[in-house]
Amino acid sequence: MDNLDTPLAGLNRPAQDLATLDLGIGGMTCAACVLRVEKALKKVPGVQDAVVNLAMETARITYQPLAADGAAQFRRAVRSAGYEPRAADALMHEEASPWAGFAPVALGVALSLPLLVPMLLGWLSLGRGGHAWMLPAWMQFLLATPVQFILGARFYRGAWHALKSRSGNMDLLVALGTSAGWGLSVWLWLSASSDLHAGAHTAEQPHLYFEASAVVITLVLLGKWLEARAKRQTTAAIRALHALRPELAHWLGSDQAPQDETDIPIAELLVGDRVAVRPGERIPADGLLLEGETQVDESMLTGEPLPLGKAPGAMLTGGSVNGEGRVILRVTATGSETVLARIIRLVEDAQAAKAPIQRLVDQVSAVFVPVVLVLALLTLAGWLWAGADMETALMHAVAVLVIACPCALGLATPTALIAGAGVAARRGILIKDAQALELAHRVDIVAFDKTGTLTVGQPRLTALVASAGQDEAALMQAAASLQSGSEHPLARAVLQAARERGLTWPEPHAVQAVPGRGSQGDVQGVTWRVGSLRWMGDLGADLGALEAQATHLQAQGATVSVLAENVPGTGGVHATVQVRALLAFGDEPKPGAAAALQALRERGLGLVMISGDNPGAAQAMARRLGLRPEAGEVLANVLPGDKAAQVRALRAGQHVVAMVGDGVNDAPALAAADVGIAMGNGTDVAMHAAGITLMRGDPALVGAALDISRRTVRKIRQNLFWAFIYNVAGIPMAALGVLSPVVAGAAMALSSVSVMGNALLLRRWKGR
């Protein structure tokens, strides 16, 4: 296992042959719009995939750079489909005022209320007949027409583009429904006027439906405004991360060319620059602390509530808050390569992704609008067949069109995913893909790597037991020399012990790592090996008198390695491996690891610890962590290459398995699990293989991640239920004449708002 110097340092992604582009899209209103944009983008040559997110108003396009011209082609395809291409982060930079974009809604309310109030008063019959409260027809026409054709112009544009592409969407339903109401009202008004001019004396003007078309458009606009306001709240986590970037840095030049302190934009910082950070300021970029000591608040990045002490040599993360000391750092990463930029990218990736459950919603949406149009025609024909007049039949058909808008259906899943990924990021949990978030709630077995995941991962050399006649100091020098080029935790423990004894060591030669076993190389002309007991057994080495010592150390929970010398043979005898010393290493459980495992057990989850240690050492540590080796909760002597096979074996019994690890050798197991969870203090390879990354190495976050998944999936199901129930219950009621177009419009707007509001409740999650 390899550890980097600082948590989060491995949040990068390897280059891929395919390119990815994010594009903002304006004008989408429902799930049908999503499908039309995806279809248009996938027709562009070279595009491998296009995923559109209605809640984020973005498209993520995966394409072959040599086959596609890129952004210009994609923008043209979006515009040709009838939508507005824009910057991918446009939603992030929208006006933050709670009342932004409310002006059209306010104008609609002002024009619609004079039409609606007389109708309500007529229903209440406050001292007069119903029609007596109605405004003159010409006044109704003047109030309703601007709402229909100016405020409602967006619906006509969307409907026209949908018709051109031979598809349907919410705009088409609203435009058809309200136009029918407005047109019927004009026809009744003009017919009554013609009758009056022809000499027919009517006691009262006919009932007109201008108020229905105007109020429906106003309600839909209100619903879209509330949706936009809720979208700004769901993306608050991303905006908060963007806000962590300071605008200026106190530049001091480089080590080779120091300068007087000068304020420059952080976009001009280069790797190697020296930067001063004053007390209370945000650190402008990732860097190595050169001078000064301080406390750093990394809570917005890792969720860790307490400031961490930093001394020279420590790594600092851009975006975190400096404490009481002025410090100087050397920049190690800038721009898109910083930890903060990668965190933002991971959260955006999760929020832009499409969960598997959304595929079913897309299939339903593809046929939803055509089915609604057929139902509206059947409603019209049915009422006419039953003997109703055209006026009544048309109003019931309009109600069907209005209530069936699939806005809530398209928002149900992405809004919950955005809110879930956002609240997870604030608690130090990065969710890389929507599939992991959706699947994690079904996990029933959690497998943990031991070293660095459940333990501190910084073992120390507790004993060096030399064989008879050997010089302990010379053996320590040989071991330190052989391990001097390795980043393995056990190697660092050997080097630290040698330094504490005041020893120096010569340069090794021909050093070779043997994965899962140890390393070998030449030190001053002698070939040495240091590695596991099993490796020494495979080499035919005899522990002799040290075997009892090895058994005793293992029983105490130590990890035992062997230092052996390769002794050349003489007279045709092959070289032999002679054991010279035992190296015993001890590690400590992470604080809170035992409590975290117990909390998972109380939730009914199965627990397994996978370790490359011998059974004695692995079982001793497991008992300290509260695990039960006798119940099969410990898998010991597992080579790195075999971890994935162990995970697959756990999955074989119809179990859903989460694997938690942090090292390079954990990556195959993380990929083999249903849900891979990487510790943020581990390596970039592990994080790339995992669907979820814990930004600090706290095992308690595993339970939190599973809980967020459970709550997010619950919200998705609730949202889909409400989205479907509005239509399942509302369409028949509208067809049967129970709902008027105005009530149908209010119900349709309420369905979208309720879905958004329900998803936003996830932001109240505080964890356990």
Side-chain angles (χ1 to χ4, degrees), residues 54 172 290 530 540 642 671:
L54 177 61
L172 180 61
L290 300 177
V530 60
D642 295 336

Side-chain angles (χ1 to χ4, degrees), residues 181 439 583 731:
L439 189 59
L583 304 172
I731 291 177

Side-chain angles (χ1 to χ4, degrees), residues 37 49 109 128 199 204 214 242 319 338 432 535 563 575 607 663 689 759:
V37 175
D49 192 25
V109 171
R128 303 176 64 180
E204 58 183 18
H242 278 289
T338 63
K432 192 173 75 173
W535 187 33
L563 178 65
L607 303 175

Side-chain angles (χ1 to χ4, degrees), residues 277-283 294-295 320-326:
V277 186
R278 298 166 185 167
E281 291 184 337
R282 291 199 179 275
I283 295 169
T294 189
Q295 299 280 323
S320 53
V321 179
N322 184 28
E324 72 285 355
R326 181 182 184 272

Side-chain angles (χ1 to χ4, degrees), residues 39 42 140 186 192 285 315 365 371 378 395 426 442 476 485 552 571 613 678 696 729:
K39 184 177 179 181
K42 288 177 180 177
Q140 294 186 48
V186 171
M315 297 300 297
S365 301
V371 168
L378 290 176
M395 282 299 98
R426 289 199 300 272
R442 293 171 47 201
M476 176 64 78
H552 175 69
D613 287 345
R696 63 182 191 273

